[in-house]
Amino acid sequence: MKHLTGIPASRGICIGPVFPFVRQDLRVESYCVDDVQAEIKRLNGAIDKAKDQISQIYQKALTEASKADAEIFQAHRMILEDPELLKEVKSKIEKDSICAEFAMMTTAQSFSDRMAAMQDEYFKARATDIMDVGSRVLRILLGVAETPTADLKEPSVIIADDLTPSDTVMLDKSMVLGFCTARGSATSHTAILARGLAIPAVSGIGAEILKVSKGTRVILDGTNAEVLIDPDDATVKQYQQRIETAHTINEAAMKHAHEPAITKDGVRLEVVSNIGNVEGARASIENGAEGVGLLRTEFLYLERTSVPTEEEQYQAYKAILDVFGKLPVVLRTLDVGGDKEISYMGLAAESNSFLGQRALRLCLVRPDIFKPQMRAALRAGVGNNLKIMFPMVAIAQEVRDARKVLEECIRELKAEGKPFAENIEVGIMVEIPSAALVADQLAKEVDFFSIGTNDLSQYTMAADRTNPKVADLSNAFYPAVLRLIREVIKAAHAEGKWVGMCGELAGEPLAAPILLGLGLDEFSMNPPMVPLIKQILRGLDSKEMKAVAEQVLQLESPQQIEDFVKEKVPFIAQLVD
Ligand code: PEP
Ligand code: MG
């Protein structure tokens, strides 16, 4: 039995034969054309056909997956409407008189390479989308049929180098037990789709996985990012047991998804979601989220070629806020710059992007970006329960400066006679160690904190969150991070302010007892985790967990801490093992 590991892309376990997904190579040759205008017409025809195909896949995704997942194909349509990309393809045909296939392929490749070269995982993942769309147009131009998976006759674990979103959607899901990819990341669209469909997936396993021959039985454990190749019967039996247990637990959690999370000793916790668009908003409601703890507004800025206007942002925020009515929605102001590069903003490259002029630091020097966003948010908040949150705060002065800009926006809106949300709560993300260390000072400046453990871990441990070589260190279960969390919660409560958490740790089953014990008020996570975390919190006693948390903070490593929690709260051990 061989054992391979990768990056966890979608939770859950499956057992079955592998099906290697091999994409047909598209051979494109460069040749000259006489009639450039006719070639552009041929290109336009292929683009229109590609858009029709994408619309059909969108409809299929809508019925099979969720609206949020289908949204990926709206983004694909937008790639085909991107004026920069179209301009480049057409100018290659016009200037060099080359065929549409070659112009399309080279342009898609260079756009995709630019995305792939970015540090941020989200942008890296977009490189696959551009190639997916480019290949679709190429197939149409070359008259090649869509990737065949006709041989997929029995439920299988799909093995591929990497899967494009359309590959993933076009596969017959009744035949897909799980996905294993040699490349890819946890933030790739395939991973997002797999999570939306609740199909286990492991990505980034490496080329070794591609050597597994068709029909070989494997066990795929998406939670622990493991693949067991050709396991013995005893191991299969053990994993089957785990599948059954997980199924029972999830069903039970979903039944109570819309009930509040009240601990055994009567403490009510708020369980909310992290979203980036209106589809995420709907998924939140379906899963029983009691609002939004993190609205990542940067998603609105992606896949565009210019900064969204105040009006566009107003419409987008309003559509999301309206889904939640009176439920709270924490809108985080723009968190870009540095690694989260947006080409049209003209930001200078920085040698150490994670420590550069990003997020709030950037917004404070770019009121032309900051003000329209806050004005749009304030206007969209009318009649809803909007809260505004600033990311990447390091010192108290930044909060005061940001609040000044907010006050300015309010004054302007008043003077213009435009309605806006009044008396909204203003908070900050605590995701830089300096902020955690002076949380007592910051608590005086804000109405709430939300702890961003993704960044707090990388800065505390000095371990880049996007570098797989130090992934072990960039882990929020280290006591150094947990001790900072304890101090942040204490400092906020001493000032009578509430504390949430929107980093990934808030959706980790094994972290729930610790965070409850440390006194966290609000847990914010990806929508599908909401029912399970609510269910876990209902099974805990806050006073008992306080003692558990204190003991946890004396341990040394994530492994020790996880083992300790499993021992103290055995029912959670069943969920994660
Ligand atoms: C975080 O840093 O924990 C967080 C939630 O923000 P992001 O992942 O968007 O940086
Ligand atoms: Mg962050």
Side-chain angles (χ1 to χ4, degrees):
M1 175 169 69
K2 202 162 179 182
H3 177 236
L4 297 176
T5 56
I7 301 164
S10 178
R11 298 179 84 88
I13 299 168
C14 64
I15 304 168
V18 308
F19 179 87
F21 186 95
V22 185
R23 207 174 289 116
Q24 201 178 339
D25 265 351
L26 293 171
R27 290 179 64 85
V28 177
E29 276 165 29
S30 162
Y31 61 87
C32 285
V33 291
D34 298 330
D35 187 346
V36 163
Q37 287 316 316
E39 196 61 4
I40 289 183
K41 206 168 158 199
R42 196 166 76 87
L43 172 77
N44 287 339
I47 289 176
D48 287 345
K49 197 161 174 201
K51 282 187 195 164
D52 286 348
Q53 287 183 355
I54 292 171
S55 300
Q56 281 170 24
I57 303 174
Y58 173 73
Q59 289 305 331
K60 191 166 189 286
L62 268 187
T63 46
E64 283 185 4
S66 70
K67 187 108 201 294
D69 299 327
E71 201 54 30
I72 292 166
F73 299 99
Q74 296 285 50
H76 277 197
R77 260 189 85 95
M78 282 170 67
I79 293 173
L80 280 180
E81 282 161 6
D82 180 354
E84 258 187 63
L85 185 120
L86 294 179
K87 202 170 124 199
E88 199 163 317
V89 183
K90 286 178 187 167
S91 91
K92 276 183 183 166
I93 299 175
E94 277 168 352
K95 277 200 208 128
D96 308 335
S97 300
I98 53 160
C99 61
E101 287 90 335
F102 197 74
M104 185 71 212
M105 187 192 70
T106 48
T107 310
Q109 191 65 60
S110 77
F111 272 64
S112 170
D113 287 350
R114 261 181 262 165
M115 284 284 178
M118 290 186 188
Q119 295 244 320
D120 185 76
E121 288 302 310
Y122 183 87
F123 289 96
K124 270 194 181 144
R126 299 296 77 76
T128 318
D129 292 318
I130 296 173
M131 285 315 290
D132 190 2
V133 174
S135 304
R136 178 173 301 286
V137 178
L138 278 185
R139 276 197 300 271
I140 296 167
L141 287 167
L142 295 165
V144 173
E146 288 233 44
T147 313
T149 44
D151 275 4
L152 186 54
K153 296 268 164 45
E154 60 174 330
S156 304
V157 176
I158 308 296
I159 288 186
D161 180 31
D162 199 1
L163 284 164
T164 67
S166 358
D167 292 336
T168 320
V169 166
M170 290 317 281
L171 281 165
D172 177 358
K173 292 322 160 307
S174 64
M175 294 291 165
V176 178
L177 297 171
F179 294 111
C180 290
T181 58
R183 292 189 289 138
S185 68
T187 47
S188 67
H189 271 150
T190 301
I192 297 170
L193 275 169
R195 284 200 286 270
L197 293 162
I199 293 176
V202 181
S203 57
I205 305 170
E208 191 74 2
I209 191 74
L210 302 175
K211 293 184 194 150
V212 181
S213 53
K214 189 174 171 190
T216 309
R217 183 164 68 168
V218 296
I219 296 174
L220 185 159
D221 179 349
T223 313
N224 295 308
E226 288 176 328
V227 186
L228 307 180
I229 297 152
D230 198 13
D232 54 49
D233 288 345
T235 311
V236 169
K237 215 167 169 193
Q238 192 192 331
Y239 274 83
Q240 270 164 345
Q241 187 70 45
R242 283 173 54 185
I243 294 173
E244 273 165 39
T245 312
H247 185 69
T248 317
I249 290 163
N250 283 333
E251 284 221 317
M254 206 55 211
K255 267 191 203 141
H256 301 281
H258 296 275
E259 294 164 26
I262 301 172
T263 63
K264 288 207 291 198
D265 56 332
V267 178
R268 168 144 195 197
L269 286 319
E270 225 178 311
V271 184
V272 291
S273 62
N274 295 347
I275 62 166
N277 53 28
V278 74
E279 284 68 34
R282 295 200 189 102
S284 302
I285 300 290
E286 278 162 29
N287 283 288
E290 300 162 303
V292 173
L294 170 63
L295 168 57
R296 286 187 164 102
T297 56
E298 52 275 12
F299 284 82
L300 226 171
Y301 288 67
L302 302 170
E303 289 150 3
R304 295 180 52 101
T305 49
S306 59
V307 178
T309 62
E310 178 182 323
E311 199 52 35
E312 283 172 318
Q313 294 188 64
Y314 164 72
Q315 296 294 349
Y317 302 151
K318 186 162 166 46
I320 292 170
L321 282 155
D322 284 351
V323 173
F324 291 94
K326 292 287 169 214
L327 295 175
V329 174
V330 178
L331 180 146
R332 178 175 77 180
T333 59
L334 196 58
D335 187 12
V336 295
D339 67 315
K340 292 184 189 171
E341 216 178 289
I342 293 191
S343 56
Y344 57 77
M345 279 191 184
L347 308 174
E350 293 176 307
S351 57
N352 201 335
S353 55
F354 273 123
L355 308 180
Q357 194 179 48
R358 51 180 300 205
L360 184 63
R361 298 169 183 184
L362 176 74
C363 284
L364 287 174
V365 296
R366 290 288 301 266
D368 58 316
I369 292 170
F370 201 23
K371 283 176 68 177
Q373 179 172 45
M374 285 205 282
R375 285 172 53 103
L378 286 165
R379 289 173 51 208
V382 175
N384 293 307
N385 190 353
L386 168 78
K387 299 172 200 292
I388 285 185
M389 174 161 79
F390 303 122
M392 292 290 294
V393 167
I395 56 171
Q397 188 57 44
E398 287 168 338
V399 187
R400 289 192 285 273
D401 290 345
R403 292 194 81 132
K404 249 187 235 157
V405 184
L406 181 64
E407 288 306 320
E408 224 175 285
C409 293
I410 290 173
R411 273 198 305 276
E412 283 174 14
L413 289 169
K414 255 189 203 157
E416 292 163 26
K418 290 192 174 140
F420 64 92
E422 296 191 49
N423 305 320
I424 58 162
E425 286 193 5
V426 176
I428 56 166
M429 289 201 65
V430 178
E431 52 184 344
I432 299 182
S434 69
L437 291 165
V438 294
D440 57 329
Q441 296 172 356
L442 292 169
K444 293 185 173 61
E445 307 285 341
V446 298
D447 300 305
F448 66 92
F449 286 156
S450 184
I451 305 174
T453 50
N454 311 341
D455 277 318
L456 189 61
S457 310
Q458 77 159 342
Y459 293 129
T460 304
M461 305 303 295
D464 182 344
R465 65 191 258 192
T466 65
N467 182 347
K469 289 184 197 142
V470 291
D472 281 355
L473 274 175
S474 184
N475 183 335
F477 276 100
Y478 269 107
V481 183
L482 295 174
R483 286 183 191 187
L484 283 178
I485 294 170
R486 172 183 61 183
E487 296 313 310
V488 172
I489 297 173
K490 261 196 205 162
H493 287 176
E495 287 293 328
K497 310 290 165 72
W498 63 269
V499 192
M501 177 179 289
C502 58
E504 291 297 316
L505 191 71
E508 279 292 332
L510 282 174
I514 307 172
L515 300 174
L516 172 67
L518 294 177
L520 192 73
D521 304 297
E522 179 234 50
F523 294 64
S524 190
M525 64 208 68
N526 295 327
M529 287 310 291
V530 168
L532 189 59
I533 296 294
K534 275 187 165 180
Q535 188 72 354
I536 289 172
L537 291 169
R538 288 184 198 114
L540 301 172
D541 179 292
S542 75
K543 288 185 210 77
E544 281 173 21
M545 292 311 117
K546 200 168 179 225
V548 168
E550 277 309 320
Q551 285 169 282
V552 155
L553 296 191
Q554 304 317 313
L555 301 171
E556 271 185 16
S557 68
Q559 191 60 53
Q560 284 176 355
I561 290 176
E562 290 178 19
D563 289 347
F564 183 79
V565 173
K566 283 182 192 171
E567 185 196 315
K568 292 288 171 189
V569 197
F571 85 89
I572 305 183
Q574 282 188 338
L575 308 179
V576 292
D577 276 343

